[in-house]
Amino acid sequence: MKQNWITAAYYRGGTSKGVFFQAKDLPTTSEEELSKIFLKVIGSPDPNGRQLNGMGGGVSSVSKCVIISPSKREDADVDYNFVQLAVEEPIAEWNNNCGNLSGAVGPYAVNTRIIKPQEGENKIRIYQVNTDKIIHSTFDVKDGIALTEGDYSIAGVSGKASKVRLDYLSPGGSGTGKLLPTGNVIDEIDIEGHGKIKVSIIDAATPLVYILAEDLNLTCAESPDELDLKIKQMEIVQKIRRKCAFIIGLCKSENEASMNTPRIGIVSTPKDYQSLDKSNVKADTYDICTRMFSMGKTHKAIMGTACVNIGVAAAIKGTIPFQVKREDADDLALRVGNPSGIIVAGSVINQDNNTTEAVSAVMYRTFRPLMIGKVLV
């Protein structure tokens, strides 16, 4: 079999890492063929769950590939296509965005000269292909290179770096075409082996299903490892996710639901807990507690698109997140407690008796280029 070396870069964006490609460097445009290539690049499938034979790291947050190209759209500078690779199965999913890696897209476009930068603050308009949405990425450039050094820190990433602001324009309906896919802020569904349970399904940046933690006999203060060991609850969570995928039209049957969409999470009122770096997070320092699940496992932090989503969901009157958030929470700066600490999300919502619209959502990330070179396929 012929060996091919493909030009690539390895970037951290937020709490994720991924292999970045320019579309012009890839040997094909076929999603099927590219999926095979990306699985090899990342080291999947790996029944050992470690991806030692590729660039992945055994968890969903570092099992990702990105394709960047100049955009032909008048409202965008670059096109950004995201691919999530399963760790233990030969699955490549093209149906969602990675909000964390979105934070590295603008800097990558500048560093590779897809975009000619200016000194100081730059705003790059990103067309997110998977969700058909526009994201504005604002960050600093110094000496022609996206600035990495700074004084901003995010939960789950050690050290400080330069801030990237991400503005999601009209984020509602990214997966289903509707901010409220069922038309309701809360739905009651029947789950085999559990019974009836209430959920809020919000589609902003990504379709996401919210469950009240207490309804699954959980506190929302558990660590990811503790949650992953609660086999019964984890199975129910996935049953709920698959049923909701069918209800909102993302699949023809529950058995055909993808691993990645919709996302799903539990929420609760703020609780004291210990973050992954062993810091004690006090309930009075944040507004809403959450634990999110990605590709069948508990996320170590919170997915970037889920951060955008919860900022929107908690601002919509009547939803489960709205009901459990702190009463005096600021919708423009919602403090979200997650396993890695506290992250801030914000949104602007227009809501009246007849309509609910997500005007915009914002979050802040950091990034770092880790490697440039070629990957072997």
Side-chain angles (χ1 to χ4, degrees), residues 3-14:
Q3 294 186 348
N4 294 302
W5 291 91
I6 304 174
T7 300
Y10 198 46
Y11 269 64
R12 177 186 66 79

Side-chain angles (χ1 to χ4, degrees), residues 12 15 150-163 342-344 364-366:
R12 177 186 66 79
T15 55
D151 59 4
Y152 190 72
S153 62
I154 61 174
V157 179
S158 61
K160 295 183 178 181
S162 183
K163 181 192 294 184
I342 299 172
I343 195 169
V344 177
Y364 298 91
R365 300 281 78 190
T366 61

Side-chain angles (χ1 to χ4, degrees), residues 292-326:
M292 295 285 180
F293 308 97
S294 176
M295 303 298 282
K297 299 288 185 180
T298 309
H299 203 279
K300 303 294 185 183
I302 180 173
M303 304 82 81
T305 49
C307 179
V308 173
N309 192 296
I310 199 169
V312 172
I316 299 175
K317 294 178 182 178
T319 66
I320 293 173
F322 178 88
Q323 293 178 15
V324 300
K325 73 174 181 180
R326 191 177 300 279

Side-chain angles (χ1 to χ4, degrees), residues 11 55 93 112 114-115 123 161 169 201 211 244 291 297 312 316 353 362 368 375:
Y11 269 64
M55 297 292 291
E93 297 195 337
T112 55
I114 295 174
I115 299 296
K123 179 184 287 186
L169 308 186
I201 309 174
I211 313 163
C244 289
R291 298 293 183 264
K297 299 288 185 180
V312 172
I316 299 175
N353 293 331
V362 62
R368 183 175 177 234
V375 290

